[in-house]
Amino acid sequence: MIQCIAVDDEPLALELLADNISQVPFLQLKATCNNAMEAMKVLQTQPIDLIFLDIQMPGLTGLQFIQSLPNKPMIILVTAYEKFALDGFNLDVVDYLVKPVSLDRFVKACNKAWELFQLKNAHAQISTTPTPSYFFVNVDYTLLKIAFKDIVWIEGLKDYIKIHLIHSNKPVVTRMSMKTLEEQLPGNLFIRIHKSYIIAIEHITAIKRSSIFINNIELPIGDNYKDAVIALTGNTS
């Protein structure tokens, strides 16, 4: 649900606005306000996602009120004046409704706010979802946990792969394709340099035209992967 408030100094206009809001199933009206200062008090006491806002009001105008907000909710302007439309959109309002507002036009504006609300929520969920720092592989009928930071390089051998770890002389061998494993690895930490090799970028010590070194280990760069290596180094010579 979108938590919203309605702000208008005209009682009849505010009543009509509240009635329109009540007919939209994803809107929940938390308060009606006669001026910007009343609206400001509401914003200080509870989270509000959307404001339906008149422009010409005593004290702070609607546009001045928007400019005063440090953390601005979504705004739909509802006004009797067309002349402020450009000013409104320059303040990133969701929509600009000119009174009298038909219900279908009102619902259209609300749908725009709903789409923006869902987009913001989806982005927030992605931003707060922690990125895994490990993955599991099947070794001898056991799921073995491997941290990305422990991987030095990976070698593909037909249907198997060898994962060489920083603190072990013996690689982990598991039945898996290179493609499947590559999809699990963070692109900012690993680079595929050959159909048979993936390297942890942190452990690269030197790069030649056709090979990459991890200390004294030299691994070939496949023709199909040279562009990725060039992009990594930024050296096109």
Side-chain angles (χ1 to χ4, degrees):
M1 294 285 285
I2 294 179
Q3 312 298 314
C4 64
I5 61 174
V7 188
D8 199 311
D9 65 316
E10 298 180 11
L12 289 179
L14 192 57
E15 183 179 343
L16 178 60
L17 188 52
D19 183 64
N20 284 345
I21 291 171
S22 70
Q23 298 185 60
V24 180
F26 53 79
L27 295 181
Q28 184 173 13
L29 183 62
K30 304 299 290 185
T32 57
C33 306
N34 295 315
N35 54 61
M37 300 310 293
E38 287 185 14
M40 193 173 295
K41 290 179 182 178
V42 175
L43 295 180
Q44 291 172 348
T45 58
Q46 56 186 306
I48 297 299
D49 305 306
L50 173 64
I51 304 175
F52 294 91
L53 181 64
D54 187 22
I55 291 181
Q56 293 289 66
M57 296 184 294
L60 280 179
T61 68
L63 297 180
Q64 290 171 334
F65 176 55
I66 295 173
Q67 292 173 315
S68 73
L69 296 175
N71 299 307
K72 185 173 64 178
M74 296 182 292
I75 308 285
I76 294 178
L77 289 172
V78 187
T79 176
Y81 302 93
E82 295 183 7
K83 63 181 180 179
F84 299 111
L86 181 60
D87 294 326
F89 285 113
N90 283 338
L91 293 172
D92 295 325
V93 300
V94 174
D95 211 338
Y96 190 99
L97 304 179
V98 179
K99 300 174 184 177
V101 183
S102 64
L103 183 59
D104 65 320
R105 180 67 182 88
F106 181 81
V107 170
K108 183 178 179 180
C110 294
N111 284 334
K112 290 172 66 175
W114 177 246
E115 290 177 3
L116 183 59
F117 179 73
Q118 289 182 306
L119 185 63
K120 287 181 177 179
N121 280 351
H123 178 72
Q125 289 176 4
I126 292 171
S127 299
T128 56
T129 301
T131 302
S133 59
Y134 58 86
F135 66 107
F136 287 89
V137 296
N138 196 329
V139 179
D140 296 331
Y141 305 102
T142 302
L143 288 175
L144 181 65
K145 180 180 177 182
I146 296 179
F148 296 136
K149 63 182 179 62
D150 293 336
I151 299 172
V152 182
W153 57 287
I154 298 160
E155 180 181 2
L157 301 167
K158 292 186 179 180
D159 296 331
Y160 291 84
I161 58 170
K162 285 184 177 181
I163 304 174
H164 297 265
L165 302 175
I166 190 170
H167 299 303
S168 175
N169 293 326
K170 183 179 179 181
V172 172
V173 180
T174 183
R175 187 181 180 89
M176 182 186 292
S177 70
M178 288 288 279
K179 184 178 185 299
T180 300
L181 177 60
E182 186 177 15
E183 290 172 351
Q184 298 186 54
L185 300 174
N188 62 319
L189 300 180
F190 296 89
I191 181 172
R192 189 166 185 176
I193 64 164
H194 190 276
K195 66 179 182 178
S196 300
Y197 299 108
I198 297 173
I199 296 181
I201 296 171
E202 179 183 359
H203 294 291
I204 294 174
T205 53
I207 298 175
K208 285 187 176 181
R209 183 175 296 274
S210 59
S211 59
I212 284 182
F213 288 84
I214 303 172
N215 295 320
N216 62 339
I217 300 169
E218 182 177 3
L219 300 175
I221 300 172
D223 291 339
N224 293 334
Y225 301 92
K226 286 184 177 179
D227 288 344
V229 176
I230 290 171
L232 176 66
T233 64
N235 184 2
T236 58
S237 59

